[in-house]
Amino acid sequence: MSVPTSKQLRISAVVLSGLLLMWVGEARLATVRAQSTQSQTAPPQTAAEAAAQTQPPQSQQTEAALAPAPPNSNAPEMATQETSVPLRVLVNLVPLRVIVRDSKGNAVSTLRKEDFQLFQDGKPQIISNFSAVLPPPAAHPGVAANSAPSAAAQPGVPAPGFLPPSRFVALLFDDAHINIQDAVQSRIAATKYVDASLAPTDRAAVYTMSGQFQVDFTEDRAKLHASLISIQPRAVTASAEVTDDECPPMDLYEADDIANKSDDQAISVATQDALSCSNTQNSSPQGGGPTPGQIAAARALAEAIARRKVEEGEQETEAVFRRLREIMARMAALPGQRNIVLISPGFIYPNLETEYSDLIDFAIRQNIFINTLDARGLYVPDLNGDISQANHDPNPAGAGIRMRYRLDGQRRQTETLINFALDTGGWTFHDNNDLLQGLREVASAPDAYYYLAYVPANMKFDGHFHSLKVTLLAKNKYSIQARRGYFAPMHGETPEE
């Protein structure tokens, strides 16, 4: 091949390569312009619009969950999607659920953020979060059992479709603290409530603190009856049962005064009880009463019993709180109204005030009401202990003081039930033997309420109690129901805190 011919071939190859590169570049540029034009066509979304699209109304979520998703022919091989994982906000937000009622007891739903004032320990706070909540009414009201024949029985009328549940009621029996008499009366009332007061769109569940003989949310009354008939007292911890010959005799309230509050009177009474029940009251060789060594040993015995009682009480209460949180976590994913009815004689929770505040916060954030029903009904204070047990009083001289301890302890049990309801916006029913009427009252949610939240300034992680007060600027004759306060956490969320 001659030299000119080879040069011409090389020049032709270079020209063809250049043309090919130009064609590829123009094709890529056209693709980029098309993608840019498509992205500019869609209008920008605000944060509110994005949130509205990410979280549709509850009814739309239910329909979307039931309907099959249409295929997407333009879906790429790899796609990204925003999940609904909540952001972790590292601030100490204190939530409150506030219910305002008029003089007739009806919930007021027309108030605004500017109408409220919030105080912590008497100091005004800035309300950072506010919303008025109107629980949606049941989409399909209940029909009485003896009403007219249903439309399905009429010729030419199609049978009604599936009625989605709109209200969930959890009957939570405190079998860790209830006695057999109160358990029987409570389960009879609950059985009548299930038979007469549940609408077709209601779902009920029977839970127990022990976790035994339960049934999850269902409309099957036979399953609910089978669970209710098994309600009876059961232990939730491995603590030993209190025996009649325990020396010295002591309940949790008296033990709390001794172990946690160092109450001199309680220590003195318990020491005297220990001397009496251990037969060292008059064992001195001179016959003048117990020796100083015997008194010191009796006091040490009383303080040891008090510490054991408090430890067992804390274990039992921790199990109860843990069970409550598990049930609330189960109900958090349910639609509609969600109510817990705690059927209990009440209990006290020494040294667990911070855990109680955490439970209240969790219930408010998950929009769950904790309603309480005192299983004792209209009870006579138990002054001398369980009458079914033999009474072995080692020290009759201290019976009056122990009776006061018992009365104070039972009063605090009732206060616990009242506070659970008040702090979460629920209802409470006590000092009344009509437990069936009580269930009808406490199983419902308020018609309207308000969600308030704020960030306290200079939060200290010391476990101290901070009082809360909510007032209205207008001088209306309204009653306000809100939590009484909260216990500061013992530690923060971050390593620095």
Side-chain angles (χ1 to χ4, degrees):
M1 181 180 295
S2 62
V3 175
T5 303
S6 61
K7 289 182 178 181
Q8 291 176 358
L9 290 176
R10 285 196 297 270
I11 293 173
S12 300
V14 171
V15 172
L16 290 175
S17 300
L19 292 175
L20 180 61
L21 291 175
M22 291 176 61
W23 179 78
V24 172
E26 290 179 356
R28 292 183 176 180
L29 182 60
T31 303
V32 172
R33 289 176 177 174
Q35 294 178 351
S36 176
T37 303
Q38 183 178 1
S39 62
Q40 293 177 0
T41 303
Q45 289 182 328
T46 64
E49 293 171 346
Q53 292 184 5
T54 305
Q55 298 179 353
Q58 189 170 331
S59 60
Q60 296 180 7
Q61 290 179 353
T62 305
E63 296 174 358
L66 296 176
N72 187 3
S73 58
N74 298 323
E77 294 182 359
M78 295 183 63
T80 60
Q81 181 180 2
E82 295 185 0
T83 61
S84 58
V85 177
L87 295 177
R88 185 165 179 252
V89 183
L90 295 179
V91 295
N92 300 289
L93 193 70
V94 179
L96 296 88
R97 180 185 284 123
V98 181
I99 302 175
V100 182
R101 294 187 174 91
D102 59 19
S103 58
K104 297 182 179 180
N106 300 319
V108 179
S109 60
T110 58
L111 299 177
R112 301 171 300 172
K113 176 181 178 181
E114 295 76 15
D115 298 325
F116 289 89
Q117 287 181 315
L118 176 60
F119 299 88
Q120 173 181 303
D121 299 329
K123 299 179 181 179
Q125 303 293 319
I126 299 176
I127 301 175
S128 56
N129 295 55
F130 176 87
S131 63
V133 182
L134 301 175
H140 305 277
V143 181
N146 57 354
S147 60
S150 62
Q154 300 177 6
V157 179
F162 170 73
L163 301 181
S166 61
R167 189 170 71 108
F168 294 84
V169 179
L171 302 177
L172 175 56
F173 287 85
D174 184 8
D175 54 353
H177 298 101
I178 202 170
N179 60 36
I180 187 61
Q181 294 87 356
D182 296 338
V184 171
Q185 296 301 321
S186 299
R187 72 192 189 195
I188 290 175
T191 300
K192 294 179 179 179
Y193 172 79
V194 167
D195 289 336
S197 301
L198 290 181
T201 54
D202 291 344
R203 298 293 183 270
V206 177
Y207 294 128
T208 59
M209 292 299 185
S210 64
Q212 302 183 43
F213 298 98
Q214 302 183 130
V215 60
D216 204 4
F217 290 100
T218 181
E219 58 181 340
D220 191 336
R221 286 170 169 78
K223 293 182 179 180
L224 296 172
H225 291 166
S227 177
L228 288 171
I229 202 172
S230 302
I231 299 297
Q232 62 180 355
R234 291 184 176 88
V236 295
T237 63
S239 302
E241 293 288 338
V242 178
T243 59
D244 295 337
D245 55 352
E246 185 178 36
C247 178
M250 188 182 305
D251 61 10
L252 180 57
Y253 182 83
E254 183 180 357
D256 178 44
D257 279 354
I258 296 173
N260 297 324
K261 301 176 182 178
S262 300
D263 186 272
D264 291 335
Q265 186 180 51
I267 295 175
S268 176
V269 171
T271 301
Q272 189 65 34
D273 291 344
L275 288 171
S276 299
C277 64
S278 59
N279 297 321
T280 57
Q281 182 69 32
N282 296 305
S283 58
S284 172
Q286 293 80 14
T291 64
Q294 292 171 338
I295 295 176
R299 174 167 178 159
L301 175 62
E303 291 177 344
I305 293 293
R307 288 192 297 269
R308 178 175 64 81
K309 285 280 190 180
V310 169
E311 182 179 354
E312 292 174 354
E314 287 182 2
Q315 293 176 357
E316 190 173 62
T317 306
E318 285 175 349
V320 169
F321 283 179
R322 185 166 55 250
R323 187 71 184 125
L324 259 173
R325 181 176 286 271
E326 292 171 354
I327 294 173
M328 287 192 290
R330 163 71 181 93
M331 299 180 68
L334 300 175
Q337 297 180 6
R338 294 163 290 181
N339 304 318
I340 294 177
V341 179
L342 175 59
I343 304 172
S344 169
F347 54 91
I348 63 176
Y349 46 92
N351 300 333
L352 296 175
E353 292 82 3
T354 301
E355 288 78 1
Y356 171 82
S357 288
D358 291 342
L359 270 181
I360 300 301
D361 289 349
F362 188 77
I364 293 176
R365 290 192 173 100
Q366 300 301 329
N367 196 23
I368 296 175
F369 297 89
I370 300 179
N371 309 280
T372 57
L373 179 73
D374 193 335
R376 298 169 296 181
L378 182 59
Y379 71 98
V380 177
D382 183 12
L383 302 181
N384 297 311
D386 190 353
I387 61 176
S388 64
Q389 302 293 333
N391 185 10
H392 301 284
D393 191 346
N395 181 26
I401 299 177
R402 286 198 302 275
M403 184 183 301
R404 179 172 62 83
Y405 289 149
R406 189 173 290 110
L407 285 174
D408 291 343
Q410 293 173 9
R411 176 182 52 82
R412 282 181 57 183
Q413 291 177 215
T414 304
E415 290 177 354
T416 298
L417 297 178
I418 296 174
N419 294 336
F420 260 118
L422 289 179
D423 292 345
T424 62
W427 297 87
T428 183
F429 189 87
H430 56 92
D431 295 332
N432 196 315
N433 287 331
D434 193 352
L435 300 184
L436 175 58
Q437 179 61 29
L439 281 173
R440 293 194 184 104
E441 292 182 7
V442 303
S444 60
D447 296 331
Y449 59 91
Y450 302 90
Y451 177 87
L452 281 65
Y454 74 101
V455 179
N458 302 322
M459 167 68 78
K460 295 182 179 180
F461 303 103
D462 51 11
H464 288 174
F465 180 79
H466 298 280
S467 63
L468 298 176
K469 183 179 181 180
V470 179
T471 61
L472 296 175
L473 291 176
K475 302 301 181 180
N476 297 322
K477 295 183 179 180
Y478 291 158
S479 62
I480 300 176
Q481 176 183 341
R483 64 189 301 185
R484 306 155 296 121
Y486 72 96
F487 289 88
M490 298 300 296
H491 57 79
E493 296 287 343
T494 63
E496 293 78 6
E497 294 174 339

